[in-house]
Amino acid sequence: DIQHPGTDTKEEVIMENELHGQVIFYSRTGNTKTVAQVIAETFNFHLQEIKDLKDRSGFFGFIGGMIDVRKNPITTLSPETVTLDGYDILFIGSPIWGMKFAPAITTFLEGTDFTGKKVILFTTTSSRMKQTAFDQYSQLIHTRGGTVIDTFFLKTFWKESEEIEKEAQEMVSTKKELWLKKVQRDEPK
């Protein structure tokens, strides 16, 4: 078989078709949802939105969220639990509020067993992002049995949804092959 530049090898196609994943996210303004949808569409993965039952809309919802990430990052979620059985990889996405994940994702992470799961964390942010935020949540997932294999963020300040979508597509396209290799399960010898 002749491979043309930019085409998948047979191994990559087989791996991608056998891979079962879920994209789990919380989004207050829609930016994180846009990125989550790009990932889910690219890999044909299940998309699961986590909803915070506390009203986070508008200016006061934003201010309340910023206070909550510092004082009480646990909230009430819908759905209360997410089934992870049958998934090889999980993408988990959150906006960044005050250098922390949104309370909905923090609550989800703290209440979930990630035993044997490979996880990629992603965030959207309108300001700065420090690796220490990813490190903190990676450690939390590790203590709950999972392994974070990669992280990434997209800056969304003053960007329209179409621009965020385009940047997400470029990011996913750039990292897709690396992610597929990192997720590959050990084959029995």
Side-chain angles (χ1 to χ4, degrees):
D1 291 300
I2 297 173
Q3 288 295 318
H4 298 283
T7 61
D8 293 331
T9 64
K10 282 183 180 180
E11 183 179 301
E12 287 170 344
V13 171
I14 290 168
M15 182 62 197
E16 189 174 340
N17 289 339
E18 292 178 359
L19 195 62
H20 299 286
Q22 184 169 202
V23 183
I24 302 163
F25 72 96
Y26 167 78
S27 188
R28 188 182 85 83
T29 63
N31 293 339
T32 307
K33 183 175 188 171
T34 297
V35 178
Q37 288 172 325
V38 166
I39 296 166
E41 290 169 8
T42 300
F43 289 99
N44 196 27
F45 285 173
H46 180 255
L47 190 63
Q48 175 65 60
E49 183 169 8
I50 302 289
K51 295 187 184 229
D52 188 336
L53 296 181
K54 188 170 185 178
D55 185 6
R56 304 279 184 196
S57 62
F59 177 75
F60 292 108
F62 172 75
I63 296 300
M66 293 297 281
I67 292 169
D68 286 351
V69 296
R70 296 279 183 219
K71 294 186 177 202
N72 182 23
I74 304 303
T75 190
T76 306
L77 303 179
S78 175
E80 288 181 22
T81 59
V82 175
T83 300
L84 304 182
D85 294 343
Y87 294 108
D88 305 303
I89 183 170
L90 306 170
F91 282 83
I92 302 174
S94 175
I96 289 294
W97 298 351
M99 295 299 166
K100 298 200 177 279
F101 285 18
I105 292 299
T106 300
T107 302
F108 168 73
L109 294 176
E110 296 222 353
T112 303
D113 179 1
F114 291 99
T115 300
K117 300 300 177 190
K118 294 184 179 177
V119 178
I120 296 174
L121 297 174
F122 68 95
T123 63
T124 57
T125 179
S126 58
S127 60
R128 298 177 295 140
M129 176 67 195
K130 291 184 179 179
Q131 184 61 41
T132 54
F134 281 131
D135 295 344
Q136 174 186 353
Y137 297 103
S138 294
Q139 182 60 35
L140 175 59
I141 289 168
H142 178 73
T143 63
R144 305 207 50 81
T147 304
V148 175
I149 61 170
D150 203 5
T151 62
F152 72 93
F153 75 94
L154 287 179
K155 238 178 165 172
T156 56
F157 191 62
W158 293 108
K159 292 181 183 171
E160 296 293 324
S161 180
E162 296 79 23
E163 188 176 358
I164 294 167
E165 182 178 359
K166 182 179 179 204
E167 286 184 20
Q169 288 168 339
E170 290 169 1
M171 173 71 72
V172 170
S173 163
T174 300
K175 291 194 160 218
K176 183 177 179 179
E177 187 176 323
L178 172 71
W179 292 335
L180 290 173
K181 286 179 183 175
K182 284 185 174 185
V183 172
Q184 224 167 5
R185 294 177 297 252
D186 293 331
E187 296 298 324
K189 295 184 180 189

